[in-house]
Amino acid sequence: MIHRMNPITAAAAMFLVLIAVVALLGEYVAPHDPYKQNLLSRLTGPVWTEGGSSEFWLGTDRLGRDLLSRLIVGLQMSVGVALLGTMIGALVGTVVGFVSGHFEGWVDNILMTIVDIQLSLPFILIALTLLAFFGNSMALFILLMGMYGWETYARLARGLVLSAKRQAYSVAIVSLGATSGRLYGRHILPNIASALIVQLTLTIPAIILLETALSFLGLGIQPPDASLGQILGEGRDYLGSAWWIAVFPGLAIFCITLSVGVVGDALRDRFDPTLKARRN
Amino acid sequence: MIVSTQAPLLHWDRLSVPLPTGADRPHAVENLSLDLRQNEVLCLVGESGSGKSVSAMATMGLLKGEMSQTSGAIRFAGQDLTKLSPDARRQLTGSKLSMVFQEPIASLNPFYTAGAQVSETIRTHSDQPAAAIREKVLSLFEEVHLPNPEQIFRAYPHELSGGQCQRVMIASALALDPAVLIADEPTTALDVTTQAQILSLILALRDNHNTGILFITHDFGVVSEIADRVAVMRKGQLVEVGPREQILTNPQHDYTKALLAAVPKLAPRAARPVQGKPILEVNSVSKTYRTGSFLRKAGREVKAVVDANIHIHGGETLGVVGESGSGKTTLSQCIIRMVEPTSGQVQIAGKDFLSLKGKELRKARQRVQIIFQDPYTSLDPRQKVGDAIAEGPLIHGTDMREATKISHELIEAVGLETAAADRYPHEFSGGQRQRICIARALALQPDLLIADESVSALDVSVQAQILDLLADIQTQRGFAMLFVTHDLRVASQICDRICVMQRGQIVETGAPDQLFANAKEPYTRALLAAVPGANRVFG
């Protein structure tokens, strides 16, 4: 499969693997303790700049913490929250979509009205309101990430289920005497999974960006924990004097979302049989 | 046929069309040499994949990508079309070669009225004033026997029937008075009575306009109605060409003989004797669809099935025939409860099938199985063939080993290798998939098998094999069969009794020999008269 990949897709995929490994290992690969303050070497520049130190490759922040180590644990947090949030959203949305597609009628109408309501409100508004009411906690934050994007899965899964259950093979399987669970679990889900997986690659970057935005506003991950968005937010005040604090997490976010997007496109092409001819 | 002494209108000279690399053969069309003369209908026949449509597309310059790299020549008006630049080709052939496609409704743009679309064809090739163009279009509509040309002119494609759309397409193809008309299966998607009308229209065109018509079809009945000459293709090669009578009565090539032998005979047979109580009893079943909504209570009522009564004994086959929209599929769906009937009773093996719910219904479903028309969509693409066949027994509590055994036995019984069990549906041809569907349906040993247009999508030779297979297995196992079809030839061959449906009602029922010899209903007689090549015995 690799040899047929175009080089950009391959690079993006490899980058994502690297990110995943680093995020998984977290503190173990960090060169310094990411939480240890060292006021003497605060705001040291990256190693290649004037005044940089070979001890801190990407420099230090306002409390003298090693930026690279902070980025690594921040990455762990951001990727973890994004994956967990995506999974919750995908699961809830897909289940809602299946329920809607199975029952149709008034059940479908009610569920899809809820979906439409959420789609018509800017999500950041919903997030800010909930955070204002319930205060900030890690559990609520992850739940919020899960609430983001479920409606897209619900809509997508509903449409796919409605069309799949009218296919002759579904009718044949029902007429064999299969239960609905068997029809949906063993036949329809495997057939529509590819579309849902592609949707995952669209939601992950969106959730990373949402996490970034909320943390940047100080409503997300709270210090001393770090996330990419939170480090970026901290760097905001030092853009003039210590640009690296904001630039590196920004660059990381940019590269991750771009890579997930590129890999997602490749997956979509791969799953879409109508594009097969063009590929060959 | 009026024999023309002129040079051929269109001449294919060793035309070859390559297939993209990775296809099952190097050429879609190989060394095709053929003439089309003025004032003749040349029928190009062959099974799917024989290259007949590709030849037509090459002639029209519609091929794309690797397939457009043709070799050989297509001569028209003294020039080789394949050597011309796209612009020069368009100028030369734009108004002289026309094509009509199989799907009339899909060939029209839903956004514009029928009149506007035909007018546009004329406008792009002439600078006549709008009023003159309109007059011309109306006269074309009249020529293709469209009722109320004025009204059709203003109608959108969705407001027209399939037959009317095809007439509009033919009018559009004739708008520029072409020298050559290529018709690619123009009647395949139409009902037989509509088909008969379109065929006579095409013959009239030949006579009135001296048009050379290349008519692509897979149906020898159609060939016998309209062809002056017949060309038979197989796997991209021309196997035989000659006058109609010669090809139909005295074919030289073995493939032509085999094709003709596979055409279902219109040989109505007598009903086989039956015993005991019927397996299926349908009493006064009706299905009414109501349109209308929350805001608009008073909607329209569509009576898909009206008061249907049928019964079938074990080992017996009942045919349900009718044109599209006659309710034959709805009736079969009511019987398997994919559609809930509005009223009536369905009894299968003495049990009231309609009152069953939940677990009882799922259990009872094994008594009736169905085989669909399209073998490409009726198998789960991600399930191995062996698992698909074993699924029914597994659902009803058979253990894995026994189910696998049943599945392997059935794969052999329907004429496939047991190795097929480990492969996916897409690795099989249409006919093979239909065999797999039959095996899946039989795995539950049903009392009633419903075949809903199960052979309509298959080539004639494959169709003949599947019909034989169904008849054999029925003799062995003794199930009752409900055979839904639009094809009277097939019905006459396989059915013990046939019921004819029209607008949701069963208008007449009888054994094929009686029904074909003296049908009581005018509608049945019209249907029988419209069967192409009804008076001819093929093969």
Side-chain angles (χ1 to χ4, degrees):
Chain A
M1 182 185 150
I2 299 272
H3 68 273
R4 281 213 320 224
M5 243 188 224
N6 90 38
I8 295 174
T9 313
M14 263 147 67
F15 177 71
L16 288 180
V17 171
L18 178 76
I19 290 292
V21 170
V22 170
L24 215 59
L25 296 173
E27 279 183 60
Y28 298 106
V29 287
H32 293 272
D33 179 349
Y35 305 105
K36 193 173 157 233
Q37 304 182 2
N38 182 354
L39 290 178
L40 284 178
S41 43
R42 61 196 292 260
L43 301 178
T44 310
V47 61
W48 62 88
T49 55
E50 209 177 315
S53 144
S54 61
E55 205 188 341
F56 309 110
W57 286 5
L58 297 183
T60 61
D61 67 2
R62 67 191 162 93
L63 297 173
R65 295 174 294 192
D66 176 39
L67 189 60
L68 178 60
S69 306
R70 302 271 305 158
L71 280 180
I72 290 173
V73 291
L75 192 68
Q76 188 175 37
M77 178 65 79
S78 291
V79 170
V81 166
L83 286 183
L84 212 58
T86 308
M87 285 303 151
I88 296 174
L91 204 69
V92 171
T94 306
V95 169
V96 169
F98 269 77
V99 169
S100 221
H102 173 67
F103 288 103
E104 302 184 35
W106 63 268
V107 176
D108 183 33
N109 286 339
I110 290 176
L111 289 173
M112 286 304 120
T113 308
I114 298 173
V115 164
D116 287 341
I117 290 173
Q118 173 150 359
L119 277 173
S120 63
L121 292 171
F123 188 76
I124 197 92
L125 210 67
I126 303 177
L128 290 176
T129 314
L130 288 178
L131 286 169
F133 267 102
F134 297 105
N136 195 315
S137 74
M138 195 60 161
L140 176 67
F141 192 66
I142 289 177
L143 202 69
L144 260 181
M145 299 296 123
M147 273 179 69
Y148 179 82
W150 72 275
E151 74 279 4
T152 351
Y153 291 96
R155 271 224 174 145
L156 184 65
R158 168 184 176 270
L160 292 168
V161 166
L162 281 177
S163 118
K165 76 184 219 185
R166 283 170 177 70
Q167 294 274 321
Y169 74 82
S170 299
V171 179
I173 283 154
V174 170
S175 74
L176 288 175
T179 56
S180 301
R182 191 179 184 100
L183 174 69
Y184 291 117
R186 290 213 186 178
H187 297 283
I188 292 186
L189 186 60
N191 274 295
I192 68 173
S194 55
L196 295 171
I197 290 169
V198 171
Q199 181 61 35
L200 282 181
T201 65
L202 297 176
T203 326
I204 292 173
I207 291 196
I208 291 179
L209 292 178
L210 178 68
E211 183 273 325
T212 308
L214 288 173
S215 297
F216 183 85
L217 294 174
L219 295 166
I221 305 297
Q222 297 299 316
D225 283 337
S227 79
L228 294 180
Q230 192 248 348
I231 301 172
L232 184 68
E234 277 186 3
R236 175 177 40 178
D237 301 334
Y238 297 90
L239 266 178
S241 52
W243 53 268
W244 52 89
I245 306 180
V247 167
F248 290 118
L251 208 60
I253 292 166
F254 174 75
C255 291
I256 294 172
T257 50
L258 189 67
S259 301
V260 175
V262 167
V263 171
D265 273 355
L267 276 180
R268 193 198 55 212
D269 290 356
R270 209 177 161 69
F271 286 134
D272 186 346
T274 58
L275 291 174
K276 225 171 226 166
R278 230 187 291 165
R279 248 202 333 266
N280 288 336
Chain B
M1 184 183 64
I2 301 149
V3 179
S4 151
T5 48
Q6 293 164 325
L9 200 55
L10 196 58
H11 175 63
W12 293 270
D13 186 7
R14 280 166 305 176
L15 176 72
S16 289
V17 180
L19 278 172
T21 36
D24 61 336
R25 59 177 201 247
H27 290 94
V29 176
E30 206 176 339
N31 276 328
L32 174 72
S33 290
L34 195 62
D35 285 339
L36 176 67
R37 299 166 195 157
Q38 228 180 41
N39 193 13
E40 79 162 352
V41 175
L42 173 63
C43 275
L44 195 54
V45 291
E47 300 193 287
S48 44
S50 60
K52 31 187 213 307
S53 289
V54 173
S55 310
M57 304 275 276
T59 312
M60 296 301 291
L62 295 173
L63 294 175
K64 299 246 177 340
E66 284 176 63
M67 290 180 77
S68 63
Q69 308 298 315
T70 58
S71 63
I74 303 170
R75 290 186 211 290
F76 176 74
Q79 300 223 45
D80 179 0
L81 296 182
T82 61
K83 299 283 186 295
L84 296 176
S85 71
D87 274 339
R89 186 171 185 164
R90 210 165 20 244
Q91 280 196 346
L92 180 68
T93 65
S95 61
K96 295 292 172 223
L97 300 185
S98 289
M99 188 158 174
V100 179
F101 298 90
Q102 176 171 352
E103 284 293 338
I105 297 172
S107 314
L108 287 167
N109 185 338
F111 198 74
Y112 295 102
T113 60
Q117 297 187 50
V118 181
S119 305
E120 166 147 22
T121 315
I122 303 178
R123 204 173 318 122
T124 47
H125 289 276
S126 75
D127 42 11
Q128 295 177 48
I133 294 179
R134 190 187 154 86
E135 280 310 307
K136 166 100 179 164
V137 173
L138 289 176
S139 74
L140 281 168
F141 281 177
E142 213 149 300
E143 184 176 354
V144 296
H145 305 295
L146 277 165
N148 301 326
E150 288 278 354
Q151 204 182 331
I152 303 272
F153 192 93
R154 288 191 305 270
Y156 287 91
H158 72 269
E159 297 170 311
L160 305 175
S161 70
Q164 288 173 333
C165 282
Q166 196 60 293
R167 284 166 202 268
V168 171
M169 285 310 295
I170 292 175
S172 168
L174 293 177
L176 302 165
D177 206 6
V180 174
L181 176 67
I182 297 179
D184 188 356
E185 304 261 8
T187 58
T188 306
L190 305 176
D191 283 323
V192 304
T193 49
T194 321
Q195 166 170 290
Q197 293 159 5
I198 298 281
L199 292 182
S200 67
L201 175 63
I202 283 179
L203 286 178
L205 294 178
R206 178 197 63 186
D207 297 339
N208 301 338
H209 293 262
N210 278 341
T211 318
I213 298 170
L214 180 70
F215 194 101
I216 297 174
T217 181
H218 66 280
D219 185 340
F220 273 102
V222 171
V223 171
S224 76
E225 297 276 328
I226 66 161
D228 293 315
R229 283 192 308 140
V230 184
V232 183
M233 284 187 79
R234 182 201 192 185
K235 292 187 182 159
Q237 292 172 330
L238 184 69
V239 296
E240 191 167 2
V241 58
R244 172 180 67 187
E245 288 311 311
Q246 184 193 318
I247 297 283
L248 293 184
T249 57
N250 186 21
Q252 300 302 309
H253 198 282
D254 287 342
Y255 179 69
T256 316
K257 288 179 193 164
L259 267 186
L260 284 165
V263 176
K265 306 284 170 288
L266 201 57
R269 63 172 215 209
R272 289 173 289 189
V274 290
Q275 288 173 343
K277 292 186 74 175
I279 299 262
L280 171 73
E281 281 181 274
V282 173
N283 296 319
S284 320
V285 161
S286 297
K287 175 68 192 175
T288 308
Y289 288 101
R290 289 190 177 81
T291 58
S293 62
F294 172 69
L295 292 172
R296 210 165 52 98
K297 273 267 157 50
R300 213 158 57 96
E301 269 193 2
V302 178
K303 291 183 171 155
V305 176
V306 185
D307 195 26
N309 291 289
I310 54 176
H311 62 91
I312 316 176
H313 287 78
E316 187 191 27
T317 301
L318 175 70
V320 179
V321 300
E323 301 193 287
S324 48
S326 63
K328 51 193 196 303
T329 291
T330 309
L331 175 62
S332 69
Q333 301 246 308
C334 283
I335 295 170
I336 57 165
R337 284 189 67 185
M338 285 302 144
V339 166
E340 293 295 333
T342 316
S343 63
Q345 262 197 328
V346 174
Q347 290 209 331
I348 293 169
K351 255 194 174 167
D352 182 5
F353 198 57
L354 294 186
S355 64
L356 299 175
K357 280 200 178 78
K359 203 173 169 188
E360 278 187 318
L361 172 63
R362 288 199 295 274
K363 191 160 180 296
R365 281 197 188 279
Q366 58 184 308
R367 306 268 59 93
V368 209
Q369 288 297 303
I370 185 161
I371 307 165
F372 295 97
Q373 169 169 5
D374 185 357
Y376 289 90
T377 59
S378 45
L379 290 164
D380 179 350
R382 290 176 190 263
Q383 191 179 32
K384 284 183 181 166
V385 165
D387 297 341
I389 300 170
E391 179 150 19
L394 280 176
I395 289 170
H396 293 281
T398 311
D399 68 53
M400 194 62 178
R401 267 184 57 176
E402 182 65 20
T404 313
K405 200 174 134 229
I406 295 176
S407 149
H408 283 208
E409 279 169 11
L410 278 166
I411 288 175
E412 280 186 1
V414 296
L416 297 173
E417 307 263 325
T418 39
D422 274 330
R423 292 159 61 191
Y424 287 94
H426 70 85
E427 300 173 53
F428 296 90
S429 68
Q432 288 172 324
R433 287 185 204 206
Q434 206 58 301
R435 286 171 191 271
I436 296 165
C437 292
I438 292 172
R440 175 177 62 186
L442 293 177
L444 287 170
Q445 302 193 308
D447 298 318
L448 172 67
L449 188 66
I450 297 177
D452 187 357
E453 298 275 10
S454 300
V455 296
S456 308
L458 305 174
D459 280 325
V460 284
S461 59
V462 182
Q463 188 178 55
Q465 292 162 10
I466 298 288
L467 287 173
D468 286 346
L469 175 70
L470 280 172
D472 285 349
I473 293 188
Q474 189 186 26
T475 318
Q476 286 164 26
R477 304 192 173 218
F479 51 80
M481 183 150 69
L482 182 72
F483 197 92
V484 178
T485 184
H486 69 281
D487 188 334
L488 285 158
R489 286 177 179 278
V490 171
S492 78
Q493 240 184 19
I494 195 165
C495 301
D496 294 295
R497 284 179 299 128
I498 295 178
C499 54
V500 180
M501 284 189 83
Q502 183 194 18
R503 290 192 215 108
Q505 282 178 317
I506 296 178
V507 292
E508 190 166 7
T509 308
D513 51 352
Q514 291 165 10
L515 201 69
F516 280 59
N518 51 39
K520 292 188 186 65
E521 291 293 319
Y523 179 70
T524 312
R525 286 201 292 274
L527 267 188
L528 289 168
V531 175
N535 305 319
R536 188 185 276 270
V537 178
F538 297 96

